[in-house]
Amino acid sequence: MLKERFVWEVLAEKEKLLEGEVRICGWVHRIRDLGRVKFAIIRDRSGSIQVTAKKGESPDTVLETIESLRQESVVCVDGVLKKAPTREGVEVKATKITVINTPVEPLPLEVEGSEKASLPTRLRYRWLDLRNPKITAVFELEAFVARVFREYYTSQGFVEIFTPKIVAAGTESGAEVFPVLYFDKTAFLAQSPQFYKQFAVIAGLERVFEIGPVFRAEPHHTSRHLNEYHSLDIELGFIESFHDVMDYVEGFIRSLAGRVEEEPARRALETYSAEPPRLPASGIPRIPIAEAYEILREKYGKEVEEGEDLDSEGERLMGQYAREELDSDFVFIIEYPWKVRPFYTMRMESNPELTYSFDLLYRGLEIVTGGQREHRYHQLVSNLKDKGLEPEGFQFYLDFFKHGAPPHGGAGMGLERIVMQTLGLDNIREARMLPRDTERITP
RNA sequence: GCCGCGGUAGUAUAGCCUGGACCAGUAUGCGGGCCUGUCAAGCCCGUGACCCGGGUUCAAAUCCCGGCCGCGGCGCCA
């Protein structure tokens, strides 16, 4: 390895390393050439450190090399760690600088302050944008959310699964799918692992989770939709009601909220001046949609027709309501109308026009959808027909239910949306390293 | 898919409403120079742009039309 230590590690051990030989590898962040004394700030993923050379004290080759450096050159610097009046309290007095690579063109985007450039420019030159620690922090948080998800569900006896992303049919009503040429057949990119996580539960794994990409062929033009995103999915068998599913969703949210003081989450929240997610000790409120209609009408003068889904304004207002009246960044809206839910959702026994389903709003944005699934074969067939769908088209799925399917339910959570809402990002594309939207398939 | 807004150097912007003194200003980058402690270093010199096409006008970055591209709202959803 050219590089032994991150800058952060050098800084963490600076007392021990003082006056000793160190090697720093990274990108040239900034050059301050004062003539007889020259500084270069070297940056890596973990932080920055100043490299110094002085005429008469440092080798001439080092001075010449610093003069020839450009921003974003890749270098390794050998030198002695010295106390210095810098922000870090130390600097590296260079004895040797190896230039490993130099930009072949002027930079189209400056790394420092890249977040001030327009989003299209940043995405176009995302490899430079990402070198900005403010931007990297987003993805460190994203990795953290995924890790907490994995750890929480693993600790609860869930098994991680990996389902096919090339599928024969669109899973749900509505959402459009991308066709792909699959030898001599047309297949589709999975828009949800829905059928296969149910498969895994029925197949005896009982409790499963998956972190994987999903694909939506909808021509959205909004700041909260992507055509490819990561879904955090769970599915669990032997539930008594859809409240059991919500309990497990809430368990994860609580675990996440409880761990945001850990690195790298802490740094990400601090970088974006974001409040830690707030949720009441008594639990996340669960409000039937029928009540939500009333709250919206009475408190906000917002009319939503009975039996319809909340629109995005309605969701925003319910988020506001939860925050102001219930002291919670989260609120479950439950018992959605059958009309607006997919065919596999279980209908309420007391009122088949409603379902055992829920959405979870986080600061006014839907981040989770879930519910109890219909596990009774004949009821499932009848539900399909009720939705005007042909059972034949879903036979491969229906077959799962023929030989003993336990009552089960699950949920899907949008990873990028969780990150976006946690940091207060304006656009979900910022929460995706290389977003795919209607116009963008490169880089 | 429907609706709205916008496109000025590499990047971010000023100018546009109220056409002329704009061969387009500023910051940063880039090229060159000065400088022994900078820390968004500073100072001096230089470099580089009006999305494309048509129209109105004596005159268009500015007004009008079309196109292309981008962004957002709605719908749909995570």
Side-chain angles (χ1 to χ4, degrees), chain A residues 141-268:
Chain A
L141 178 67
E142 199 153 272
F144 182 79
V145 172
R147 183 154 60 89
V148 171
F149 179 85
R150 180 173 275 127
E151 286 173 3
Y152 173 75
Y153 288 106
T154 302
S155 78
Q156 300 298 310
F158 286 67
V159 176
E160 182 164 12
I161 57 169
F162 306 91
T163 65
K165 301 305 156 204
I166 297 173
V167 299
T171 39
E172 295 162 55
S173 48
E176 292 294 319
V177 287
F178 291 106
V180 292
L181 203 56
Y182 191 73
F183 302 113
D184 57 347
K185 295 188 184 71
T186 300
F188 302 95
L189 294 177
Q191 43 124 279
S192 156
Q194 184 59 35
F195 289 174
Y196 294 111
K197 60 182 182 163
Q198 288 188 260
F199 167 94
V201 168
I202 294 167
L205 287 172
E206 300 195 26
R207 297 179 193 183
V208 298
F209 73 91
E210 175 165 26
I211 300 173
V214 294
F215 306 90
R216 302 281 165 100
E218 300 283 349
H220 330 273
H221 293 99
T222 79
S223 56
R224 57 185 189 283
H225 288 94
L226 292 165
N227 293 297
E228 178 187 23
Y229 67 92
H230 272 77
S231 185
L232 306 176
D233 273 277
I234 62 165
E235 198 74 25
L236 56 149
F238 298 98
I239 60 171
E240 215 161 348
S241 95
F242 72 130
H243 285 280
D244 296 332
V245 180
M246 279 186 277
D247 289 345
Y248 276 106
V249 170
E250 183 164 346
F252 161 64
I253 296 293
R254 202 167 280 286
S255 172
L256 182 62
R259 293 180 63 179
V260 294
E261 290 305 314
E262 288 177 34
E263 297 296 355
R266 192 206 56 77
R267 179 173 87 89

Side-chain angles (χ1 to χ4, degrees), chain A residues 294-326:
Chain A
E294 277 175 39
I295 290 166
L296 289 172
R297 189 182 317 119
E298 283 165 20
K299 278 201 69 84
Y300 303 99
K302 157 98 185 162
E303 287 294 334
V304 180
E305 210 178 311
E306 296 278 329
E308 291 297 329
D309 205 349
L310 301 181
D311 56 21
S312 42
E313 189 194 13
E315 289 180 352
R316 264 194 300 280
L317 292 171
M318 286 310 293
Q320 192 184 327
Y321 173 80
R323 180 69 199 212
E324 288 169 0
E325 308 288 328
L326 310 169

Side-chain angles (χ1 to χ4, degrees), chain A residues 27-95:
Chain A
W27 287 268
V28 174
H29 188 63
R30 208 103 215 170
I31 302 145
R32 301 196 189 101
D33 184 343
L34 277 66
R36 287 166 167 271
V37 59
K38 300 178 198 297
F39 306 102
I41 313 299
I42 307 302
R43 183 199 67 242
D44 74 4
R45 189 188 88 196
S46 70
S48 301
I49 192 166
Q50 176 165 287
V51 168
T52 312
K54 281 187 195 176
K55 189 140 185 130
E57 295 179 24
S58 307
D60 285 346
T61 51
V62 165
L63 291 154
E64 284 160 22
T65 305
I66 291 181
E67 278 168 34
S68 74
L69 289 178
R70 294 289 169 269
Q71 281 187 16
E72 301 308 313
S73 290
V74 177
V75 294
C76 283
V77 178
D78 295 291
V80 180
L81 194 71
K82 297 266 191 193
K83 271 210 165 106
T86 57
R87 218 167 273 153
E88 296 78 24
V90 291
E91 65 186 8
V92 177
K93 194 161 181 191
T95 50

Side-chain angles (χ1 to χ4, degrees), chain A residues 145 232 256 362 367 413-422:
Chain A
V145 172
L232 306 176
L256 182 62
Y362 178 19
I367 58 159
M413 325 189 194
L415 175 61
E416 293 82 357
R417 282 195 175 180
I418 294 173
V419 171
M420 174 188 183
Q421 291 306 87
T422 300

